Amino acid sequence: MVSTALSHVYPLGSRLDERGRLQLGGCDAIELAREFGTPAYVVVEDDLRARARAFVAALAAQHGDGEVVFASKAFPCTAVLELFAAEGLMCDVASAGELHLALNAGFAPERIVVHGNARDDAELAGALARRVGLIVVDNFDDIDRLERLTSGRRDRDRQDVLVRVTPGVAGETHASISTGQPDSKFGLGVADARGAIERLEAAPGLRLLGLHMHIGSQLLDLAPFRAATEVLATLGDFPVYDLGGGLGVAYSDSDEPPSVDDYVAAQVDAVRELIGPGKRILLEPGRALVANAGVTLYSVVSVKRNVSTWVGVDGGMSDNLRPMLYGSHYEAQIADRFGDATSCHVTGKHCESGDVIVRDARLQEPRSGDVLVTPATGAYGHAMANNYNGVPRPPVVFVSEGEARVVVRRETVEELTARDVR
Ligand code: LLP
């Protein structure tokens, strides 16, 4: 058997070696499982870099005046943030905690964009005090607070802001991650946005630079982006347009998401053609920068046959909530025995029947002790990990050129009681 390259669902450079064993970033997956334990998130550093560079290069080539802003919610991990800061990206944060992570990882405050639909005085005051680059205004309470908190600021001391517009265009995706529809908790519809623009233009401590939109996540069709920009165009002419994230990724071998080049072209062409030339364009990819860079390694701990075959692994909805929240489908394979002989469900260890990581997986004769891999878990996996059933959260292991290093260690059971007050 010769070494085989794997599909685009796996991190760049992943392959099966001549023994049929999964290699990630030059490291053997079974060895990684042995050394770092399971479950573990394994992230291929070169993949993160390559995707960041692809976005930066596409935007530079197609527009010139723009920035790629990592939506840190997709993988809020210091090592990932440091890597993207070093690649010259900006960072989007959606809470005081994410702001802390971004600053701690070395993003300059002026390279941070702050979001949120329910921010109290303290959260906005914290962002203002740190002199972040942009605060995105979501609602009129934000404006009340920002006016009050910046009332003493003038001229160069003013805070730059954008208005988040809900364009009434929904991308086709799961309802929980669709945000552009008129009945959304995010942003302001066109009529309200006009009112917000008027107020912000009159606020002495604030400088309105432009508009923001984010119509949804895991979008595989580019048409809604243009339709949404058409709505932004009705609101006037501003120097800055932040078009949000949303570019979908491949979770299954058969998914064919648009390329980064096509996505960037669709966004910048829409702004140029529908709004005008010379605009500064910000794009906020989250998932598309990190999803396929990461996989999760599990150990198979039980195999049961009744109506179906149930392959039980040592993680589940505590390390990947996406199948349960959004019905997302993942691929799974045994790390040293890729194949499809057995039709089965890969389940987690949690105390509910919904804890199914992959329904209708096809594995090659799974048995206890196998290492099982689910690819494309880099986005919103670590981000949404939790301690349901007292399960400690997995480590994050970076791999590159045959070397592996832990960048977030495994949580311990002792940490589960660390916040107790007796
Ligand atoms: N910008 C804003 C303002 C956002 O709200 C989001 C995602 C992004 C950028 C990045 O979107 P992306 O490029 O990753 O699609 N937990 C869900 C995803 C929620 C996304 C929320 N906002 C999931 O696991 O699918």
Side-chain angles (χ1 to χ4, degrees):
M1 195 166 158
V2 289
S3 138
T4 321
L6 289 168
S7 84
H8 60 315
V9 176
Y10 281 85
L12 295 179
S14 302
R15 59 188 185 84
L16 298 181
D17 72 4
E18 54 294 338
R19 296 164 301 170
R21 289 166 66 124
L22 174 63
Q23 309 293 308
L24 300 160
C27 296
D28 184 84
I30 309 272
E31 299 283 322
L32 290 171
R34 210 168 282 149
E35 184 173 355
F36 301 106
T38 53
Y41 300 116
V42 177
V43 176
V44 173
E45 261 186 271
D46 294 344
D47 181 297
L48 294 178
R49 278 203 193 88
R51 287 181 212 271
R53 288 175 191 178
F55 270 99
V56 170
L59 192 53
Q62 300 191 41
H63 191 64
D65 187 9
E67 294 278 356
V68 179
V69 186
F70 173 49
S72 64
K73 71 202 75 182
F75 205 154
C77 161
T78 301
V80 172
L81 293 165
E82 284 175 346
L83 186 150
F84 287 145
E87 290 297 324
L89 271 51
M90 289 177 64
C91 187
D92 126 18
V93 303
S95 70
E98 285 183 359
L99 176 57
H100 167 74
L101 284 169
L103 290 167
N104 179 63
F107 279 98
E110 64 271 18
R111 308 233 353 121
I112 296 177
V113 181
V114 179
H115 290 288
N117 71 300
R119 293 171 293 196
D120 59 12
D121 278 12
E123 199 162 332
L124 284 171
L128 288 165
R130 286 171 183 85
R131 311 253 154 197
V132 297
L134 285 165
I135 294 180
V136 181
V137 170
D138 175 89
N139 54 65
F140 288 103
D141 294 287
D142 274 350
I143 301 180
D144 293 343
R145 290 194 171 93
L146 287 169
E147 280 176 344
R148 191 162 21 86
L149 293 165
T150 61
S151 59
R153 294 200 187 189
R154 292 291 180 276
D155 305 321
R156 289 186 51 193
D157 201 27
R158 290 183 297 171
Q159 173 65 50
D160 290 341
V161 297
L162 303 178
V163 173
R164 177 161 179 170
V165 179
T166 312
V169 174
E172 193 160 312
T173 189
H174 189 280
S176 299
I177 53 177
S178 176
T179 46
Q181 68 278 15
D183 194 15
S184 169
K185 75 165 186 156
F186 295 105
L188 294 166
V190 170
D192 283 333
R194 281 189 217 286
I197 289 166
E198 245 171 64
R199 273 188 64 184
L200 290 167
E201 281 176 337
L206 301 170
R207 184 165 68 138
L208 176 63
L209 286 187
L211 305 180
H212 173 274
M213 69 173 188
H214 171 75
I215 59 171
S217 218
Q218 183 55 15
L219 304 181
L220 297 171
D221 175 14
L222 297 175
F225 291 113
R226 188 178 177 93
T229 298
E230 209 163 344
V231 176
L232 296 191
T234 66
L235 282 165
D237 193 3
F238 298 92
V240 178
Y241 288 85
D242 180 338
L243 306 175
L247 174 60
V249 304
Y251 285 101
S252 296
D253 290 345
S254 55
D255 290 340
E256 289 293 344
S259 69
V260 168
D261 280 334
D262 287 351
Y263 162 77
V264 170
Q267 294 277 39
V268 306
D269 289 352
V271 171
R272 255 193 245 132
E273 292 162 20
L274 302 169
I275 299 174
K279 305 300 177 195
R280 184 162 177 74
I281 296 179
L282 275 52
L283 300 174
E284 293 178 337
R287 185 188 319 264
L289 284 166
V290 295
N292 297 100
V295 309
T296 308
L297 299 180
Y298 299 100
S299 293
V300 174
V301 281
S302 64
V303 179
K304 175 185 295 177
R305 292 186 180 85
N306 44 32
V307 178
S308 308
T309 298
W310 300 91
V311 178
V313 299
D314 54 356
M317 59 196 297
S318 51
D319 59 75
N320 187 0
L321 258 183
R322 301 197 68 264
M324 302 82 197
L325 280 183
Y326 319 115
S328 309
H329 181 79
Y330 285 81
E331 303 273 330
Q333 285 290 351
I334 303 299
D336 56 353
R337 215 181 314 118
F338 274 49
D340 66 358
T342 310
S343 161
C344 56
H345 304 312
V346 177
T347 75
K349 64 181 291 154
H350 295 277
C351 297
E352 56 182 81
S353 296
D355 180 33
V356 177
I357 304 169
V358 187
R359 201 166 282 284
D360 299 321
R362 296 198 67 94
L363 301 178
Q364 190 69 22
E365 294 158 27
R367 46 189 181 254
S368 176
D370 283 341
V371 173
L372 181 141
V373 58
T374 53
T377 57
Y380 304 106
H382 167 82
M384 298 198 294
N386 61 80
N387 290 129
Y388 185 35
N389 289 136
V391 174
R393 288 171 290 181
V396 179
V397 179
F398 268 24
V399 290
S400 178
E401 296 180 4
E403 301 287 330
R405 66 189 170 104
V406 176
V407 297
V408 178
R409 66 161 170 76
R410 185 181 304 284
E411 201 167 26
T412 64
V413 285
E414 288 72 29
E415 283 171 293
L416 299 177
T417 48
R419 294 186 302 142
D420 291 355
V421 180
R422 278 178 155 158

